[in-house]
């Protein structure tokens, strides 16, 4: 298969972790006889520095005309520490999601057998966890009307959802549940929020189209608690943007390190694959960041084209590297650790 892949390395550790994913993907392409055409483009703070825009038109054109996007991370302390900055790296991320129509963020949460004791949670609680969140990505409070009034002393943000937006996300959730253990949990706050009541009503109306899927409805505060108490009780969870943002970071604790968890953002025409972590600026340029979240995001990219053998080859070699202790310092616990680039080389050579 020939794939054109837009490569948005971004800021901080982005370029370093992306380099390792490219090495691994190229090794997979060689082994399985695919042709990968990488198309690098600017984004984030580095794009602001270069052309004054965190998501330049040229980058959008490259993304929109590719088969998929592999994304590193964006963000720089000079913007984090300056809330008054008019142009910001995150604006690029939000604009990219909107312009590419990336409406569903898919975040699998699972445990790695060799790392289970590194999780801050007890083994018996998390063993066997294999759940996936589908977070709505282009609606809700992050995109609603906001502002200040009363001379700046009152601030407001509004959460708006349309039935269509909910159906589009829920459809993906039902389809995913059908392929997995046929359990779907709709996470909302329907006892308080009108937008949540529309979520619940919409998903309830869709149940009849997926008779094999058993749907539960839970309040977000209860899920926040049960997620770390009994994560294996969940399979597919669907939720709106803000709740999903918070719950998916909470879920990442189950697997033990931010450096491990991949994600995909699905659109109607194109999907984007990215680690869940940010640009970890303290580690930028040091060759110490864990590249596995990005490498596993690349595995999801192959899954996206139904190349499941290729995706499995990546997951297998990642698990092997973990069992053999070929790990970056975040997982080494004071023992021997490897550089980001060494882990990438090891993975590529073992594909
Ligand atoms: N999608 C994105 O691009 C994205 C997501 C979150 C944060 N950000 C941005 O990233 C910058 C830093 O934010 P932050 O510090 O809150 O989050 P972060 O994910 O960059 O880092 C938080 C902590 O997680 C750990 N970590 C993260 N990635 C790791 C890796 N690959 N290997 C090992 N450990 C890793 C480190 O201990 C780090 O201190 C900010 O500018 C923020 O806006 C970007």
């Amino acid at each position: 298969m020939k794939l054109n892949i837009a490569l948005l390395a971004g800021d901080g550790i982005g370029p370093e972790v992306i380099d390792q994913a490219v090495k691994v993907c190229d090794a997979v392409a060689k082994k399985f006889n695919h042709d990968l055409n990488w198309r690098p483009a600017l984004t984030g703070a580095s794009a602001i520095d270069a052309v004054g825009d965190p998501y330049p038109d040229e980058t959008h054109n490259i993304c929109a005309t590719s088969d998929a996007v592999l994304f590193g991370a964006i963000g720089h302390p000079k913007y984090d520490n300056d809330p008054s900055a008019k142009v910001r790296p995150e604006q690029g991320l939000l604009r990219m999601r909107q312009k590419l129509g990336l409406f569903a963020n898919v975040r699998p949460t699972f445990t790695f057998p060799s790392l289970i004791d590194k999780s801050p949670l007890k083994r018996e609680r998390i063993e066997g966890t294999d759940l996936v969140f589908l977070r709505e990505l282009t609606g809700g409070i992050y995109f609603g009307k906001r502002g200040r009034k009363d001379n700046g002393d009152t601030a407001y943000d509004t959460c708006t959802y349309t039935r269509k937006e909910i159906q589009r996300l829920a459809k993906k959730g039902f389809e995913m549940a059908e392929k997995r253990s046929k359990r779907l949990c709709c996470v909302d706050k329907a006892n308080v929020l009108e937008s949540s009541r529309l979520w619940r009503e919409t998903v309830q109306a869709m149940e009849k189209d997926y008779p094999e899927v058993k749907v539960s409805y839970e309040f977000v505060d209860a899920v926040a608690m049960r997620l770390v108490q009994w994560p294996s009780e969940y399979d597919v969870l669907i939720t709106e943007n803000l709740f999903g943002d918070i719950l998916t970071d909470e879920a990442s604790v189950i697997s033990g390190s931010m450096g491990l968890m991949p994600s995909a953002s699905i659109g109607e025409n194109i999907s984007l694959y990215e680690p869940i972590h940010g640009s970890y600026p303290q580690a930028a340029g040091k060759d110490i960041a864990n590249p596995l979240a990005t490498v596993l995001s690349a595995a999801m990219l192959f899954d996206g084209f139904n190349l499941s053998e290729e995706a499995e080859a990546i997951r297998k070699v990642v698990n092997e590297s973990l069992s053999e202790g070929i790990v970056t310092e975040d997982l080494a616990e004071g023992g021997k650790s490897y550089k980001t680039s060494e882990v990438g080389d090891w993975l590529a050579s073992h594909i």
Side-chain angles (χ1 to χ4, degrees), residues 13 73-76 80 93 258-259 274 277-281 289-290 330:
I13 59 167
I74 53 109
H76 191 284
D80 295 340
L93 202 60
M258 283 289 269
E274 61 176 322
H277 60 69
S279 60
Y280 188 10
N290 190 336
D330 54 309

Side-chain angles (χ1 to χ4, degrees), residues 106-220:
V106 182
R107 279 214 200 172
T109 296
F110 45 87
T111 51
F112 297 86
S114 52
L115 295 184
I116 214 152
D117 293 320
K118 293 205 166 90
S119 169
L121 302 172
K122 288 188 185 126
R123 169 182 280 271
E124 62 269 26
R125 297 275 168 158
I126 59 169
E127 211 157 30
T129 300
D130 180 13
L131 58 87
V132 54
F133 269 98
L134 269 94
R135 164 189 166 197
E136 203 289 328
L137 212 51
T138 52
I141 202 163
Y142 293 169
F143 293 96
K145 213 171 177 190
R146 73 192 55 171
R148 296 271 183 120
K149 50 189 186 181
D150 305 332
N151 293 326
D153 291 336
T154 303
Y156 60 93
D157 299 274
T158 49
C159 177
T160 307
Y161 268 108
T162 66
R163 199 180 296 277
K164 261 200 172 134
E165 285 172 325
I166 300 165
Q167 281 166 338
R168 184 170 68 165
L169 191 276
K171 182 169 180 284
K172 293 276 174 207
F174 275 108
E175 287 168 359
M176 200 170 276
E178 274 183 328
K179 289 193 200 138
R180 293 171 49 104
S181 76
K182 301 182 171 39
R183 282 178 295 142
L184 181 72
C185 177
C186 175
V187 184
D188 60 34
K189 189 72 185 167
N191 50 343
V192 181
L193 301 176
E194 195 55 40
S195 54
S196 281
R197 284 194 272 274
L198 182 62
W199 268 79
R200 200 171 273 219
E201 184 186 307
T202 306
V203 176
Q204 276 170 346
M206 293 171 78
E207 279 189 42
K208 61 177 184 330
D209 300 328
Y210 304 89
E212 288 189 350
V213 178
K214 191 173 177 321
V215 188
S216 62
Y217 298 85
E218 293 185 31
F219 297 137
V220 59

Side-chain angles (χ1 to χ4, degrees), residues 28 32 296 299-300 302-303 307-320 351:
V28 169
F32 292 90
L296 290 167
M300 291 180 80
F302 284 106
D303 274 329
L307 301 172
S308 39
E309 227 183 303
E310 288 79 344
E312 261 325 295
I314 296 180
R315 287 192 269 265
K316 185 164 169 275
V317 71
V318 164
N319 266 315
E320 280 167 16
I351 280 289

